Amino acid sequence: LTLAARGAESAGAALPETETLDEGHELRRLPLGLPERTPMAFLLASKAIEEAATLALRAYAGPDSIVHLRYLDDASRAVAVAARRLNLRIALTLTPDPHRGVCGPDGRIALRGIEETRELYNRILIGDELLHWSRGLVGIGRNAFIDTLPEFFPQLENARGLARAGMDEGVDTGEFPPLEDPGRLLCDPALALPLDPSRLGEPAIICVGRLNALKG
């Protein structure tokens, strides 16, 4: 079960309350009129998110369910509070953001405005809190719990009883056996977005993340 919000931006699109994403996987949109997806909007709506998540989890999550949280923000914290209220276990994807953004490349604390500073440190505190509440942790990168996360979360040095898994992301650049007919594979009409065979000879841009300097 994936929970999402029905924000104000989707009100005119008549999105369904539930949607089947795959066999055995359902998306449920919570009745939350969030005006925007910003840290302040999540903070102001945290109680409403908590109540909506509580109702959804109570109705659809069994006693052995695990509630997975992806981001360190007030929306995730609200869902975590709902999960704790129902005695459900929590798993968290832990990243060094926003912690590593406190300092600039020179190692000095970066100067920020009052609001940006409040949001940054609020997320850092939420990260520590969610880590304390979690039974399972996912790190981005197979060596995340060795190379990157302990620097920002010293509590991991003595994190007994926690299930931990580091998972790679991005494109695996290992050697693969050559394909006999890559064009046929890319133009397979069974694909969600097959290529037009007439365009196989044209240049292509491959993007595996958002087009942003932060993503390289």
Side-chain angles (χ1 to χ4, degrees), residues 119-187:
E119 292 177 0
L120 178 71
Y121 285 98
N122 181 49
R123 290 180 60 202
I124 289 174
L125 291 173
I126 288 173
D128 288 340
E129 194 170 28
L130 293 182
L131 172 56
H132 178 67
W133 291 346
S134 297
R135 294 277 300 277
L137 299 174
V138 177
I140 297 178
R142 69 183 66 184
N143 296 320
F145 290 99
I146 300 172
D147 297 338
T148 56
L149 291 173
E151 180 180 356
F152 303 101
F153 297 96
Q155 347 31 342
L156 292 174
E157 295 178 6
N158 190 29
R160 298 177 181 175
L162 277 175
R164 288 184 278 187
M167 299 183 183
D168 285 337
E169 68 169 353
V171 175
D172 189 345
T173 57
E175 294 295 327
F176 293 92
L179 297 171
E180 294 182 3
D181 189 355
R184 181 179 178 184
L185 175 67
L186 296 171
C187 301

Side-chain angles (χ1 to χ4, degrees), residues 3-166:
L3 298 180
R6 296 185 70 177
E9 74 280 0
S10 64
L15 294 174
E17 181 180 333
T18 62
E19 186 176 341
T20 299
L21 301 180
D22 204 346
E23 184 178 354
H25 185 186
E26 183 181 87
L27 170 67
R28 177 163 290 273
R29 294 183 173 91
L30 304 181
L32 295 167
L34 300 179
E36 53 187 357
R37 297 175 184 175
T38 63
M40 181 55 71
F42 289 154
L43 175 61
L44 295 176
S46 58
K47 195 62 181 177
I49 296 172
E50 177 189 334
E51 294 300 329
T54 299
L55 291 175
L57 293 174
R58 182 179 287 133
Y60 298 100
D64 295 326
S65 296
I66 297 172
V67 178
H68 171 241
L69 306 171
R70 171 62 183 88
Y71 299 104
L72 306 183
D73 56 29
D74 283 287
S76 290
R77 186 187 185 280
V79 177
V81 171
R84 283 165 56 82
R85 179 190 293 183
L86 300 175
N87 295 316
L88 299 176
R89 291 169 294 174
I90 295 171
L92 173 68
T93 293
L94 195 62
T95 70
D97 297 318
H99 302 63
R100 61 183 167 191
V102 172
C103 295
D106 60 358
R108 298 181 180 181
I109 294 178
L111 296 178
R112 291 177 171 82
I114 294 175
E115 196 60 28
E116 186 182 5
T117 300
R118 185 202 64 79
E119 292 177 0
L120 178 71
Y121 285 98
N122 181 49
R123 290 180 60 202
I124 289 174
L125 291 173
I126 288 173
D128 288 340
E129 194 170 28
L130 293 182
L131 172 56
H132 178 67
W133 291 346
S134 297
R135 294 277 300 277
L137 299 174
V138 177
I140 297 178
R142 69 183 66 184
N143 296 320
F145 290 99
I146 300 172
D147 297 338
T148 56
L149 291 173
E151 180 180 356
F152 303 101
F153 297 96
Q155 347 31 342
L156 292 174
E157 295 178 6
N158 190 29
R160 298 177 181 175
L162 277 175
R164 288 184 278 187

Side-chain angles (χ1 to χ4, degrees), residues 188-195:
D188 186 346
L191 295 175
L193 294 171
L195 290 181

